[in-house]
Amino acid sequence: MTLKSLNFPLLVLTIESETLSLLADELNKKRIMAPDFFLHAPVVIKVINGSLNLDFSQIRKIVIEQGFILVGISGELSETQKEMLHAEQIAILRGSKRQGSKEVVVEDKPVENVVETASFIANEVKTKIFKGRVRSGQQIYAKECDLVINGDVGAGAEVIADGNIHIYGVLRGKALAGAMGDQNASIFCQALSPELVSIAGVYKLSDDLPPEYAGKSSMVSLKDEQIVLDSLGQI
Amino acid sequence: MAKVIVVTSGKGGVGKTTSSAAIGTGLALTGAKTVVIDFDIGLRNLDLIMGCERRVVYDLINVINGEANLQQALVKDKRTPGLYILPASQTRNKDALSKEGVEKVINDLKADGFEYIICDSPAGIEQGAMMALYFADEAIVTTNPEVSSVRDSDRITGMLSSKSKRSEMQLNPVKVHLLITRYCPERVEKEEMLSIEDIDDLLGIDLLGVIPESQDVLSASNLGEPVILNQDSDAGKAYQDAVDRLIGIERELRFVKFEKKGFLSRLFGA
Protein backbone atom coordinates (compact mmCIF):
# COMPACT_ATOMS: atom_id res chain seq x y z
CA MET A 1 0.00 0.00 0.00
CA THR A 2 1.23 3.47 -0.82
CA LEU A 3 -0.08 6.80 0.28
CA LYS A 4 0.21 9.50 -2.34
CA SER A 5 -1.35 12.76 -3.30
CA LEU A 6 -3.51 12.81 -6.44
CA ASN A 7 -5.71 15.36 -8.15
CA PHE A 8 -9.37 14.62 -8.75
CA PRO A 9 -11.99 16.57 -10.65
CA LEU A 10 -14.69 17.73 -8.24
CA LEU A 11 -17.81 19.78 -8.55
CA VAL A 12 -17.51 22.93 -6.47
CA LEU A 13 -20.58 24.87 -5.46
CA THR A 14 -19.97 28.40 -4.21
CA ILE A 15 -22.18 29.75 -1.46
CA GLU A 16 -22.60 33.49 -1.20
CA SER A 17 -25.63 33.74 1.06
CA GLU A 18 -27.14 32.18 4.15
CA THR A 19 -30.30 31.16 2.27
CA LEU A 20 -29.76 27.41 2.02
CA SER A 21 -32.83 26.79 -0.10
CA LEU A 22 -30.83 28.29 -3.00
CA LEU A 23 -28.25 25.56 -2.47
CA ALA A 24 -30.95 22.92 -2.75
CA ASP A 25 -32.33 24.57 -5.90
CA GLU A 26 -28.95 24.70 -7.59
CA LEU A 27 -28.12 21.07 -6.82
CA ASN A 28 -31.57 20.04 -7.94
CA LYS A 29 -31.14 21.86 -11.27
CA LYS A 30 -27.85 20.10 -11.85
CA ARG A 31 -29.31 16.75 -10.95
CA ILE A 32 -32.32 17.06 -13.25
CA MET A 33 -30.04 17.67 -16.23
CA ALA A 34 -28.49 14.20 -15.98
CA PRO A 35 -29.91 12.22 -13.06
CA ASP A 36 -27.81 9.09 -13.56
CA PHE A 37 -24.64 11.01 -14.12
CA PHE A 38 -24.90 13.15 -10.99
CA LEU A 39 -26.24 10.49 -8.64
CA HIS A 40 -23.81 10.18 -5.71
CA ALA A 41 -21.44 12.65 -7.37
CA PRO A 42 -18.93 14.13 -4.91
CA VAL A 43 -19.36 17.84 -4.35
CA VAL A 44 -17.33 20.49 -2.53
CA ILE A 45 -19.03 23.53 -1.01
CA LYS A 46 -16.97 26.69 -1.20
CA VAL A 47 -17.68 29.52 1.23
CA ILE A 48 -16.43 32.89 0.06
CA ASN A 49 -17.50 34.97 3.02
CA GLY A 50 -16.12 34.16 6.47
CA SER A 51 -18.79 36.23 8.18
CA LEU A 52 -21.69 34.10 6.97
CA ASN A 53 -23.53 32.29 9.72
CA LEU A 54 -23.92 28.87 8.09
CA ASP A 55 -25.46 25.74 9.51
CA PHE A 56 -23.04 23.12 8.18
CA SER A 57 -25.00 20.11 9.37
CA GLN A 58 -27.96 21.50 7.40
CA ILE A 59 -25.72 21.95 4.35
CA ARG A 60 -24.60 18.34 4.57
CA LYS A 61 -28.23 17.24 4.88
CA ILE A 62 -29.27 19.20 1.78
CA VAL A 63 -26.38 17.81 -0.28
CA ILE A 64 -27.31 14.25 0.68
CA GLU A 65 -31.00 14.86 0.11
CA GLN A 66 -30.24 15.98 -3.44
CA GLY A 67 -28.37 12.74 -4.08
CA PHE A 68 -24.83 14.13 -3.92
CA ILE A 69 -22.04 13.33 -1.46
CA LEU A 70 -20.36 16.14 0.46
CA VAL A 71 -16.58 15.82 0.24
CA GLY A 72 -15.84 18.85 2.36
CA ILE A 73 -15.88 22.63 2.63
CA SER A 74 -13.33 24.98 1.12
CA GLY A 75 -12.92 28.73 0.83
CA GLU A 76 -12.14 31.68 3.07
CA LEU A 77 -13.28 30.31 6.39
CA SER A 78 -13.34 32.19 9.66
CA GLU A 79 -12.07 30.57 12.88
CA THR A 80 -15.66 30.18 14.10
CA GLN A 81 -16.65 28.39 10.91
CA LYS A 82 -13.61 26.11 11.15
CA GLU A 83 -14.52 25.18 14.71
CA MET A 84 -18.08 24.40 13.66
CA LEU A 85 -16.77 22.19 10.85
CA HIS A 86 -14.49 20.30 13.26
CA ALA A 87 -17.44 19.78 15.57
CA GLU A 88 -19.50 18.42 12.66
CA GLN A 89 -16.57 16.29 11.49
CA ILE A 90 -16.67 17.83 8.00
CA ALA A 91 -13.37 18.04 6.12
CA ILE A 92 -11.84 21.40 5.29
CA LEU A 93 -10.22 21.44 1.83
CA ARG A 94 -7.47 23.82 0.90
CA GLY A 95 -7.52 24.69 -2.80
CA SER A 96 -4.26 24.24 -4.69
CA LYS A 97 -2.54 27.28 -6.20
CA ARG A 98 -2.96 25.92 -9.72
CA GLN A 99 -6.67 25.81 -9.42
CA GLY A 100 -7.09 29.37 -8.25
CA SER A 101 -6.60 31.06 -11.59
CA LYS A 102 -9.19 29.01 -13.39
CA GLU A 103 -12.06 29.58 -11.02
CA VAL A 104 -14.91 31.54 -12.40
CA VAL A 105 -17.86 32.73 -10.40
CA VAL A 106 -20.89 33.02 -12.58
CA GLU A 107 -23.08 35.99 -11.72
CA ASP A 108 -26.55 34.74 -12.44
CA LYS A 109 -28.72 37.35 -10.80
CA PRO A 110 -31.51 35.53 -8.97
CA VAL A 111 -29.33 32.59 -8.00
CA GLU A 112 -26.54 33.25 -5.58
CA ASN A 113 -25.13 29.74 -5.59
CA VAL A 114 -23.15 28.86 -8.64
CA VAL A 115 -21.75 25.54 -9.73
CA GLU A 116 -18.18 25.68 -10.85
CA THR A 117 -15.45 23.15 -11.08
CA ALA A 118 -11.96 22.92 -9.79
CA SER A 119 -9.55 22.38 -12.63
CA PHE A 120 -8.22 18.92 -13.20
CA ILE A 121 -4.83 18.06 -14.50
CA ALA A 122 -5.16 15.47 -17.21
CA ASN A 123 -2.19 13.15 -17.30
CA GLU A 124 -2.59 12.59 -21.00
CA VAL A 125 -4.85 13.98 -23.67
CA LYS A 126 -7.35 11.31 -24.59
CA THR A 127 -10.42 11.11 -26.74
CA LYS A 128 -13.17 8.62 -26.23
CA ILE A 129 -14.46 7.29 -29.52
CA PHE A 130 -17.83 5.59 -29.77
CA LYS A 131 -18.44 3.77 -33.02
CA GLY A 132 -22.05 3.47 -34.02
CA ARG A 133 -25.40 4.82 -33.10
CA VAL A 134 -26.22 5.83 -29.53
CA ARG A 135 -29.73 4.57 -28.89
CA SER A 136 -32.56 5.81 -26.71
CA GLY A 137 -31.80 5.12 -23.05
CA GLN A 138 -28.05 4.74 -23.58
CA GLN A 139 -25.62 7.08 -21.89
CA ILE A 140 -22.05 7.62 -23.03
CA TYR A 141 -19.69 9.57 -20.77
CA ALA A 142 -16.19 10.66 -21.68
CA LYS A 143 -14.42 11.39 -18.42
CA GLU A 144 -11.83 14.16 -18.54
CA CYS A 145 -11.62 14.03 -22.31
CA ASP A 146 -13.36 14.70 -25.62
CA LEU A 147 -16.03 12.43 -27.00
CA VAL A 148 -16.38 11.45 -30.65
CA ILE A 149 -19.54 9.67 -31.75
CA ASN A 150 -19.43 8.14 -35.22
CA GLY A 151 -23.16 7.79 -35.71
CA ASP A 152 -26.47 9.33 -34.73
CA VAL A 153 -27.46 10.10 -31.15
CA GLY A 154 -31.08 9.00 -30.86
CA ALA A 155 -33.89 10.76 -29.06
CA GLY A 156 -33.73 9.75 -25.41
CA ALA A 157 -29.98 9.07 -25.53
CA GLU A 158 -27.40 11.10 -23.60
CA VAL A 159 -23.82 11.89 -24.55
CA ILE A 160 -21.70 13.61 -21.91
CA ALA A 161 -18.07 14.71 -21.95
CA ASP A 162 -15.84 16.74 -19.67
CA GLY A 163 -14.34 18.09 -22.90
CA ASN A 164 -15.84 18.66 -26.36
CA ILE A 165 -18.38 16.45 -28.11
CA HIS A 166 -18.15 15.69 -31.83
CA ILE A 167 -21.05 13.88 -33.46
CA TYR A 168 -20.65 12.57 -37.00
CA GLY A 169 -24.36 12.10 -37.41
CA VAL A 170 -27.63 13.57 -36.21
CA LEU A 171 -27.97 14.77 -32.62
CA ARG A 172 -31.53 14.02 -31.52
CA GLY A 173 -30.92 13.32 -27.83
CA LYS A 174 -29.12 15.26 -25.10
CA ALA A 175 -25.51 16.41 -25.35
CA LEU A 176 -23.66 17.85 -22.35
CA ALA A 177 -20.14 19.12 -22.99
CA GLY A 178 -17.83 20.57 -20.33
CA ALA A 179 -19.68 18.52 -17.74
CA MET A 180 -17.09 19.37 -15.12
CA GLY A 181 -17.35 23.06 -15.82
CA ASP A 182 -15.07 23.77 -18.78
CA GLN A 183 -16.73 26.79 -20.37
CA ASN A 184 -14.58 26.50 -23.48
CA ALA A 185 -16.05 23.14 -24.38
CA SER A 186 -18.22 22.91 -27.49
CA ILE A 187 -20.54 20.49 -29.22
CA PHE A 188 -20.20 19.81 -32.96
CA CYS A 189 -22.71 17.83 -34.95
CA GLN A 190 -23.68 17.18 -38.54
CA ALA A 191 -27.37 17.76 -37.96
CA LEU A 192 -28.78 19.50 -34.92
CA SER A 193 -32.19 18.53 -33.56
CA PRO A 194 -31.43 17.90 -29.89
CA GLU A 195 -33.64 17.51 -26.85
CA LEU A 196 -31.12 19.51 -24.86
CA VAL A 197 -27.63 20.95 -25.28
CA SER A 198 -25.51 22.02 -22.34
CA ILE A 199 -22.08 23.59 -21.98
CA ALA A 200 -20.58 23.74 -18.49
CA GLY A 201 -24.00 23.47 -16.90
CA VAL A 202 -25.67 26.17 -19.00
CA TYR A 203 -28.34 24.47 -21.01
CA LYS A 204 -30.98 25.08 -23.65
CA LEU A 205 -33.95 22.93 -24.62
CA SER A 206 -34.79 22.40 -28.29
CA ASP A 207 -37.71 24.83 -28.12
CA ASP A 208 -35.37 27.61 -27.00
CA LEU A 209 -32.88 27.11 -29.83
CA PRO A 210 -33.06 29.38 -32.88
CA PRO A 211 -35.03 27.45 -35.53
CA GLU A 212 -32.72 28.34 -38.40
CA TYR A 213 -30.16 25.83 -37.13
CA ALA A 214 -32.61 22.93 -36.89
CA GLY A 215 -31.32 19.96 -38.83
CA LYS A 216 -28.17 21.85 -39.90
CA SER A 217 -24.55 21.05 -39.19
CA SER A 218 -23.80 23.21 -36.18
CA MET A 219 -21.47 24.12 -33.39
CA VAL A 220 -22.81 24.80 -29.91
CA SER A 221 -20.65 26.85 -27.58
CA LEU A 222 -20.80 29.23 -24.66
CA LYS A 223 -20.38 32.98 -24.99
CA ASP A 224 -20.95 35.36 -22.09
CA GLU A 225 -22.67 32.57 -20.16
CA GLN A 226 -25.13 32.05 -23.00
CA ILE A 227 -25.49 29.13 -25.39
CA VAL A 228 -24.65 30.30 -28.91
CA LEU A 229 -24.98 28.41 -32.21
CA ASP A 230 -22.88 28.67 -35.34
CA SER A 231 -22.93 26.86 -38.62
CA LEU A 232 -20.07 24.43 -39.03
CA GLY A 233 -17.24 25.68 -41.19
CA GLN A 234 -18.60 29.21 -41.50
CA ILE A 235 -16.93 31.08 -38.70
CA MET B 1 -27.14 -24.94 -35.64
CA ALA B 2 -30.24 -23.90 -33.72
CA LYS B 3 -31.11 -20.22 -33.80
CA VAL B 4 -32.81 -18.30 -31.01
CA ILE B 5 -34.80 -15.40 -32.45
CA VAL B 6 -36.56 -12.88 -30.21
CA VAL B 7 -39.52 -10.91 -31.53
CA THR B 8 -39.60 -7.70 -29.54
CA SER B 9 -40.60 -4.01 -29.76
CA GLY B 10 -40.62 -2.19 -26.43
CA LYS B 11 -44.06 -0.79 -27.11
CA GLY B 12 -47.20 -2.88 -26.74
CA GLY B 13 -49.81 -3.63 -29.37
CA VAL B 14 -47.56 -3.28 -32.40
CA GLY B 15 -47.86 -6.88 -33.55
CA LYS B 16 -45.21 -8.95 -31.76
CA THR B 17 -47.41 -11.95 -31.15
CA THR B 18 -49.03 -11.81 -34.61
CA SER B 19 -45.54 -11.64 -36.14
CA SER B 20 -44.17 -14.44 -33.90
CA ALA B 21 -47.04 -16.69 -34.96
CA ALA B 22 -46.70 -15.84 -38.66
CA ILE B 23 -42.90 -16.11 -38.79
CA GLY B 24 -42.84 -19.26 -36.65
CA THR B 25 -45.37 -20.86 -38.99
CA GLY B 26 -43.43 -19.71 -42.06
CA LEU B 27 -40.17 -21.17 -40.75
CA ALA B 28 -41.85 -24.47 -39.88
CA LEU B 29 -43.26 -24.61 -43.43
CA THR B 30 -39.67 -24.65 -44.75
CA GLY B 31 -39.34 -28.00 -42.99
CA ALA B 32 -37.37 -26.75 -39.99
CA LYS B 33 -38.50 -27.91 -36.54
CA THR B 34 -39.68 -24.70 -34.88
CA VAL B 35 -41.00 -23.70 -31.48
CA VAL B 36 -42.59 -20.39 -30.49
CA ILE B 37 -42.27 -19.55 -26.78
CA ASP B 38 -44.70 -17.10 -25.21
CA PHE B 39 -42.77 -14.97 -22.68
CA ASP B 40 -45.77 -12.82 -21.82
CA ILE B 41 -46.32 -14.45 -18.43
CA GLY B 42 -49.65 -13.46 -16.93
CA LEU B 43 -51.04 -12.10 -20.21
CA ARG B 44 -50.75 -15.06 -22.51
CA ASN B 45 -52.01 -14.55 -26.05
CA LEU B 46 -49.92 -16.63 -28.41
CA ASP B 47 -52.06 -19.74 -27.90
CA LEU B 48 -55.13 -17.77 -29.03
CA ILE B 49 -53.44 -16.32 -32.11
CA MET B 50 -52.23 -19.81 -33.04
CA GLY B 51 -55.54 -21.42 -32.23
CA CYS B 52 -54.36 -23.96 -29.69
CA GLU B 53 -55.79 -22.43 -26.51
CA ARG B 54 -57.93 -25.44 -25.73
CA ARG B 55 -54.98 -27.80 -25.73
CA VAL B 56 -52.78 -25.97 -23.20
CA VAL B 57 -52.13 -28.12 -20.13
CA TYR B 58 -48.73 -27.10 -18.83
CA ASP B 59 -46.76 -23.94 -19.51
CA LEU B 60 -43.27 -22.42 -19.54
CA ILE B 61 -43.29 -21.68 -15.81
CA ASN B 62 -44.32 -25.26 -14.98
CA VAL B 63 -41.29 -26.44 -16.97
CA ILE B 64 -38.94 -23.93 -15.31
CA ASN B 65 -40.19 -24.96 -11.87
CA GLY B 66 -39.86 -28.66 -12.70
CA GLU B 67 -43.60 -29.28 -12.33
CA ALA B 68 -43.81 -30.66 -15.87
CA ASN B 69 -41.29 -31.79 -18.43
CA LEU B 70 -40.79 -30.10 -21.77
CA GLN B 71 -42.60 -32.78 -23.78
CA GLN B 72 -45.71 -32.38 -21.61
CA ALA B 73 -45.77 -28.61 -22.05
CA LEU B 74 -45.08 -28.37 -25.79
CA VAL B 75 -48.29 -28.01 -27.78
CA LYS B 76 -48.07 -29.43 -31.30
CA ASP B 77 -49.64 -27.26 -33.99
CA LYS B 78 -52.46 -29.06 -35.80
CA ARG B 79 -52.03 -27.38 -39.18
CA THR B 80 -48.29 -27.07 -39.66
CA PRO B 81 -46.04 -30.09 -39.18
CA GLY B 82 -42.89 -29.45 -37.15
CA LEU B 83 -44.38 -26.43 -35.36
CA TYR B 84 -44.72 -26.34 -31.57
CA ILE B 85 -45.89 -23.78 -29.06
CA LEU B 86 -44.62 -23.37 -25.52
CA PRO B 87 -47.38 -21.33 -23.85
CA ALA B 88 -47.04 -18.77 -21.08
CA SER B 89 -48.61 -19.14 -17.67
CA GLN B 90 -51.75 -17.09 -17.21
CA THR B 91 -51.74 -17.22 -13.42
CA ARG B 92 -48.18 -16.21 -12.55
CA ASN B 93 -46.24 -13.01 -13.05
CA LYS B 94 -43.06 -12.25 -14.95
CA ASP B 95 -40.81 -12.51 -11.90
CA ALA B 96 -41.29 -16.27 -12.13
CA LEU B 97 -38.86 -16.21 -15.10
CA SER B 98 -35.30 -16.89 -13.97
CA LYS B 99 -32.27 -16.67 -16.22
CA GLU B 100 -31.15 -20.18 -15.25
CA GLY B 101 -34.63 -21.56 -15.85
CA VAL B 102 -34.97 -20.00 -19.29
CA GLU B 103 -31.44 -21.09 -20.23
CA LYS B 104 -32.24 -24.70 -19.31
CA VAL B 105 -35.46 -24.67 -21.35
CA ILE B 106 -33.65 -23.24 -24.40
CA ASN B 107 -30.80 -25.75 -24.09
CA ASP B 108 -33.28 -28.62 -23.76
CA LEU B 109 -35.13 -27.41 -26.87
CA LYS B 110 -31.84 -27.29 -28.80
CA ALA B 111 -30.99 -30.80 -27.61
CA ASP B 112 -34.43 -31.89 -28.78
CA GLY B 113 -33.55 -30.92 -32.35
CA PHE B 114 -35.37 -27.60 -32.69
CA GLU B 115 -33.79 -25.46 -35.40
CA TYR B 116 -35.65 -22.23 -34.69
CA ILE B 117 -36.59 -21.07 -31.21
CA ILE B 118 -38.80 -17.99 -31.51
CA CYS B 119 -39.19 -15.99 -28.29
CA ASP B 120 -42.35 -13.87 -28.32
CA SER B 121 -41.43 -11.01 -25.97
CA PRO B 122 -43.89 -9.11 -23.77
CA ALA B 123 -44.05 -5.32 -24.11
CA GLY B 124 -41.89 -3.15 -21.87
CA ILE B 125 -38.28 -3.44 -20.77
CA GLU B 126 -38.82 -5.34 -17.54
CA GLN B 127 -37.97 -8.88 -16.47
CA GLY B 128 -40.16 -10.67 -19.04
CA ALA B 129 -38.78 -8.73 -22.00
CA MET B 130 -35.20 -9.01 -20.71
CA MET B 131 -35.47 -12.77 -20.32
CA ALA B 132 -36.98 -13.11 -23.82
CA LEU B 133 -34.07 -11.27 -25.42
CA TYR B 134 -31.20 -12.44 -23.21
CA PHE B 135 -30.36 -15.64 -25.10
CA ALA B 136 -31.16 -14.32 -28.58
CA ASP B 137 -28.88 -14.87 -31.58
CA GLU B 138 -31.09 -12.70 -33.77
CA ALA B 139 -33.82 -10.20 -33.04
CA ILE B 140 -36.83 -9.05 -35.00
CA VAL B 141 -37.71 -5.56 -33.79
CA THR B 142 -41.34 -4.89 -34.62
CA THR B 143 -42.31 -1.26 -35.23
CA ASN B 144 -45.39 0.64 -36.30
CA PRO B 145 -44.83 3.72 -38.46
CA GLU B 146 -45.32 6.21 -35.62
CA VAL B 147 -42.88 8.08 -33.40
CA SER B 148 -43.50 6.49 -30.01
CA SER B 149 -43.20 2.98 -31.41
CA VAL B 150 -39.98 3.92 -33.22
CA ARG B 151 -38.46 5.41 -30.08
CA ASP B 152 -39.29 2.32 -28.03
CA SER B 153 -37.76 0.16 -30.75
CA ASP B 154 -34.61 2.27 -30.53
CA ARG B 155 -34.53 1.68 -26.77
CA ILE B 156 -34.97 -2.08 -27.07
CA THR B 157 -32.31 -2.24 -29.80
CA GLY B 158 -29.95 -0.53 -27.37
CA MET B 159 -30.86 -3.18 -24.78
CA LEU B 160 -30.07 -5.93 -27.30
CA SER B 161 -26.57 -4.53 -27.71
CA SER B 162 -25.95 -4.10 -23.99
CA LYS B 163 -28.14 -6.48 -21.98
CA SER B 164 -28.06 -9.70 -24.02
CA LYS B 165 -25.91 -12.72 -23.30
CA ARG B 166 -23.99 -12.10 -26.54
CA SER B 167 -23.05 -8.60 -25.37
CA GLU B 168 -22.15 -9.72 -21.85
CA MET B 169 -19.95 -12.56 -23.15
CA GLN B 170 -18.54 -10.21 -25.85
CA LEU B 171 -19.55 -12.59 -28.63
CA ASN B 172 -20.72 -11.43 -32.06
CA PRO B 173 -23.56 -8.97 -31.44
CA VAL B 174 -27.20 -9.99 -31.77
CA LYS B 175 -28.23 -9.62 -35.42
CA VAL B 176 -31.10 -7.16 -35.45
CA HIS B 177 -33.81 -7.07 -38.14
CA LEU B 178 -36.53 -4.46 -38.49
CA LEU B 179 -40.10 -5.50 -39.23
CA ILE B 180 -42.48 -2.64 -39.94
CA THR B 181 -46.10 -3.60 -39.38
CA ARG B 182 -49.41 -1.85 -40.06
CA TYR B 183 -47.85 0.14 -42.89
CA CYS B 184 -50.29 2.14 -44.93
CA PRO B 185 -48.76 3.58 -48.14
CA GLU B 186 -51.77 5.83 -48.72
CA ARG B 187 -51.31 7.55 -45.36
CA VAL B 188 -47.55 7.82 -45.92
CA GLU B 189 -48.33 9.56 -49.22
CA LYS B 190 -50.51 12.05 -47.31
CA GLU B 191 -47.70 12.47 -44.77
CA GLU B 192 -49.90 11.18 -41.97
CA MET B 193 -47.54 8.30 -41.28
CA LEU B 194 -43.77 7.85 -41.06
CA SER B 195 -42.30 6.41 -44.25
CA ILE B 196 -39.86 3.50 -44.47
CA GLU B 197 -37.09 6.04 -45.13
CA ASP B 198 -38.05 8.09 -42.02
CA ILE B 199 -37.92 4.97 -39.86
CA ASP B 200 -34.58 3.95 -41.37
CA ASP B 201 -33.17 7.42 -40.56
CA LEU B 202 -34.30 7.12 -36.95
CA LEU B 203 -33.33 3.51 -36.32
CA GLY B 204 -30.70 2.44 -38.86
CA ILE B 205 -31.66 -1.25 -38.65
CA ASP B 206 -31.65 -3.65 -41.63
CA LEU B 207 -35.16 -4.05 -42.95
CA LEU B 208 -36.59 -7.56 -42.83
CA GLY B 209 -40.05 -6.75 -44.11
CA VAL B 210 -42.96 -4.36 -44.30
CA ILE B 211 -46.39 -5.73 -43.47
CA PRO B 212 -49.21 -3.62 -44.88
CA GLU B 213 -52.19 -2.64 -42.73
CA SER B 214 -54.81 -5.26 -43.48
CA GLN B 215 -58.20 -6.41 -42.26
CA ASP B 216 -56.98 -9.97 -42.76
CA VAL B 217 -54.66 -9.73 -39.75
CA LEU B 218 -57.53 -9.17 -37.33
CA SER B 219 -59.69 -11.87 -38.88
CA ALA B 220 -56.76 -14.29 -38.79
CA SER B 221 -56.18 -13.54 -35.08
CA ASN B 222 -59.83 -14.09 -34.26
CA LEU B 223 -59.81 -17.37 -36.17
CA GLY B 224 -56.62 -18.46 -34.42
CA GLU B 225 -54.93 -19.03 -37.75
CA PRO B 226 -51.57 -17.29 -38.40
CA VAL B 227 -52.07 -14.78 -41.23
CA ILE B 228 -49.16 -16.20 -43.23
CA LEU B 229 -51.39 -19.21 -44.04
CA ASN B 230 -53.70 -16.87 -45.96
CA GLN B 231 -51.68 -16.41 -49.15
CA ASP B 232 -54.54 -14.48 -50.77
CA SER B 233 -53.88 -11.67 -48.33
CA ASP B 234 -51.24 -8.95 -48.83
CA ALA B 235 -50.23 -9.25 -45.18
CA GLY B 236 -49.82 -13.02 -45.55
CA LYS B 237 -47.64 -12.57 -48.65
CA ALA B 238 -45.58 -9.87 -46.92
CA TYR B 239 -44.92 -12.19 -43.95
CA GLN B 240 -43.89 -14.92 -46.39
CA ASP B 241 -41.39 -12.49 -47.99
CA ALA B 242 -40.05 -11.66 -44.52
CA VAL B 243 -39.56 -15.35 -43.70
CA ASP B 244 -37.80 -15.87 -47.05
CA ARG B 245 -35.42 -12.97 -46.33
CA LEU B 246 -34.79 -14.36 -42.83
CA ILE B 247 -33.49 -17.62 -44.35
CA GLY B 248 -31.45 -15.76 -46.94
CA ILE B 249 -33.69 -15.61 -50.04
CA GLU B 250 -33.80 -12.18 -51.68
CA ARG B 251 -37.25 -10.69 -52.14
CA GLU B 252 -38.33 -7.33 -53.54
CA LEU B 253 -40.36 -5.12 -51.19
CA ARG B 254 -44.07 -5.33 -52.02
CA PHE B 255 -47.15 -3.41 -50.90
CA VAL B 256 -45.18 -0.29 -50.00
CA LYS B 257 -46.31 2.04 -52.79
CA PHE B 258 -49.66 3.72 -52.98
CA GLU B 259 -51.44 3.05 -56.25
CA LYS B 260 -54.56 5.00 -57.02
CA LYS B 261 -57.27 2.71 -58.18
CA GLY B 262 -58.26 3.35 -61.76
CA PHE B 263 -61.81 3.45 -63.04
CA LEU B 264 -61.81 -0.11 -64.37
CA SER B 265 -60.30 -1.72 -61.31
CA ARG B 266 -62.80 0.12 -59.13
CA LEU B 267 -65.58 -1.13 -61.35
CA PHE B 268 -64.43 -4.73 -61.26
CA GLY B 269 -63.05 -4.61 -57.69
CA ALA B 270 -59.62 -5.93 -58.68
Side-chain angles (χ1 to χ4, degrees):
Chain A
M1 253 183 263
T2 46
L3 187 63
K4 30 179 204 181
S5 174
L6 292 172
N7 292 299
F8 293 98
L10 289 170
L11 284 171
V12 178
L13 186 77
T14 308
I15 292 193
E16 295 169 356
S17 90
E18 288 171 12
T19 327
L20 292 181
S21 62
L22 294 171
L23 170 69
D25 291 347
E26 190 63 32
L27 287 171
N28 191 34
K29 257 172 57 188
K30 197 82 182 162
R31 186 169 58 94
I32 285 170
M33 276 169 44
D36 294 339
F37 178 65
F38 287 116
L39 184 66
H40 306 315
V43 61
V44 174
I45 303 291
K46 185 177 173 192
V47 179
I48 34 176
N49 189 339
S51 66
L52 290 178
N53 181 18
L54 293 165
D55 180 348
F56 290 108
S57 77
Q58 190 61 28
I59 288 178
R60 175 159 60 190
K61 197 163 155 251
I62 289 171
V63 170
I64 292 168
E65 274 171 4
Q66 293 299 329
F68 293 79
I69 293 167
L70 181 64
V71 177
I73 307 285
S74 79
E76 305 292 319
L77 300 167
S78 67
E79 287 310 311
T80 339
Q81 284 172 334
K82 283 181 186 169
E83 272 169 36
M84 287 166 73
L85 284 167
H86 287 312
E88 288 291 335
Q89 300 236 314
I90 296 174
I92 297 172
L93 303 173
R94 280 174 300 135
S96 76
K97 294 244 164 60
R98 275 176 296 202
Q99 125 187 1
S101 60
K102 264 204 177 178
E103 281 177 8
V104 184
V105 177
V106 183
E107 298 281 353
D108 205 0
K109 286 299 175 240
V111 185
E112 287 168 73
N113 298 321
V114 171
V115 173
E116 59 168 279
T117 303
S119 66
F120 55 80
I121 297 143
N123 294 327
E124 49 183 317
V125 180
K126 294 178 292 186
T127 302
K128 181 168 179 169
I129 300 176
F130 184 88
K131 290 172 188 156
R133 191 179 275 263
V134 187
R135 297 196 179 269
S136 181
Q138 287 182 318
Q139 192 183 49
I140 310 292
Y141 171 45
K143 192 175 168 59
E144 295 171 31
C145 64
D146 286 3
L147 176 61
V148 174
I149 308 279
N150 191 14
D152 295 350
V153 176
E158 277 177 25
V159 289
I160 305 168
D162 292 343
N164 306 300
I165 299 176
H166 306 257
I167 299 164
Y168 296 98
V170 187
L171 170 60
R172 296 193 181 91
K174 296 182 184 174
L176 297 90
M180 282 297 177
D182 181 359
Q183 305 201 357
N184 295 316
S186 300
I187 300 166
F188 306 83
C189 67
Q190 288 186 322
L192 183 77
S193 49
E195 290 168 344
L196 175 147
V197 285
S198 162
I199 308 283
V202 182
Y203 67 93
K204 272 221 159 122
L205 294 166
S206 59
D207 281 356
D208 306 327
L209 293 171
E212 60 268 29
Y213 291 95
K216 303 278 167 55
S217 62
S218 314
M219 168 180 172
V220 183
S221 48
L222 204 58
K223 195 178 176 193
D224 302 329
E225 319 301 338
Q226 293 291 321
I227 296 277
V228 288
L229 302 185
D230 289 291
S231 296
L232 276 192
Q234 290 188 5
I235 307 168
Chain B
M1 186 61 199
K3 261 188 197 163
V4 181
I5 304 175
V6 61
V7 179
T8 186
S9 69
K11 195 171 183 299
V14 297
K16 287 181 294 297
T17 302
T18 303
S19 300
S20 300
I23 289 169
T25 304
L27 288 170
L29 285 171
T30 67
K33 196 175 175 189
T34 302
V35 58
V36 189
I37 310 177
D38 190 351
F39 274 82
D40 205 348
I41 313 299
L43 293 166
R44 86 171 195 226
N45 281 158
L46 181 72
D47 50 327
L48 285 172
I49 306 284
M50 300 193 60
C52 65
E53 72 277 12
R54 284 193 293 267
R55 291 185 289 132
V56 172
V57 184
Y58 294 105
D59 57 54
L60 175 61
I61 301 299
N62 292 137
V63 179
I64 286 177
N65 291 346
E67 295 149 5
N69 66 40
L70 201 53
Q71 299 311 323
Q72 291 173 301
L74 283 172
V75 182
K76 194 172 187 309
D77 190 85
K78 276 194 170 161
R79 288 169 297 252
T80 314
L83 178 61
Y84 294 80
I85 295 113
L86 186 51
S89 168
Q90 182 69 343
T91 51
R92 309 292 283 274
N93 68 49
K94 293 179 177 68
D95 300 328
L97 287 171
S98 65
K99 201 179 273 182
E100 297 71 28
V102 174
E103 182 165 34
K104 183 168 186 311
V105 169
I106 287 180
N107 286 340
D108 289 352
L109 287 166
K110 284 181 182 171
D112 209 16
F114 280 96
E115 289 175 63
Y116 291 106
I117 300 165
I118 312 289
C119 302
D120 178 23
S121 171
I125 52 172
E126 281 77 40
Q127 178 76 357
M130 289 300 108
M131 285 301 106
L133 70 76
Y134 187 75
F135 296 100
D137 301 309
E138 297 191 18
I140 297 174
V141 172
T142 313
T143 300
N144 287 167
E146 52 101 19
V147 284
S148 62
S149 174
V150 170
R151 180 179 294 187
D152 290 358
S153 293
D154 195 32
R155 178 91 168 104
I156 207 82
T157 309
M159 296 278 196
L160 282 162
S161 61
S162 61
K163 293 273 167 31
S164 62
K165 185 178 179 188
R166 282 182 170 270
S167 66
E168 281 178 11
M169 312 285 280
Q170 306 201 331
L171 303 167
N172 285 335
V174 178
K175 191 171 174 200
V176 184
H177 308 274
L178 179 67
L179 184 70
I180 302 174
T181 55
R182 310 198 67 169
Y183 195 72
C184 185
E186 186 178 355
R187 300 191 65 189
V188 172
E189 191 92 344
K190 291 184 192 158
E191 299 195 344
E192 293 172 354
M193 194 178 256
L194 294 179
S195 68
I196 298 171
E197 293 73 31
D198 294 337
I199 298 172
D200 183 50
D201 270 357
L202 291 166
L203 289 178
I205 305 175
D206 292 340
L207 189 62
L208 178 71
V210 180
I211 313 300
E213 172 82 24
S214 161
Q215 300 291 333
D216 303 326
V217 174
L218 182 62
S219 346
S221 295
N222 287 337
L223 281 174
E225 194 166 279
V227 69
I228 195 168
L229 293 173
N230 179 359
Q231 281 297 317
D232 295 331
S233 134
D234 288 354
K237 290 178 196 162
Y239 270 118
Q240 185 60 53
D241 288 353
V243 170
D244 290 348
R245 291 186 199 107
L246 197 60
I247 58 173
I249 303 170
E250 281 192 29
R251 291 277 180 248
E252 288 269 319
L253 271 184
R254 293 194 272 177
F255 320 114
V256 294
K257 291 210 172 61
F258 174 55
E259 279 151 29
K260 277 208 180 97
K261 281 196 174 172
F263 173 73
L264 278 177
S265 60
R266 252 183 296 164
L267 204 63
F268 296 109

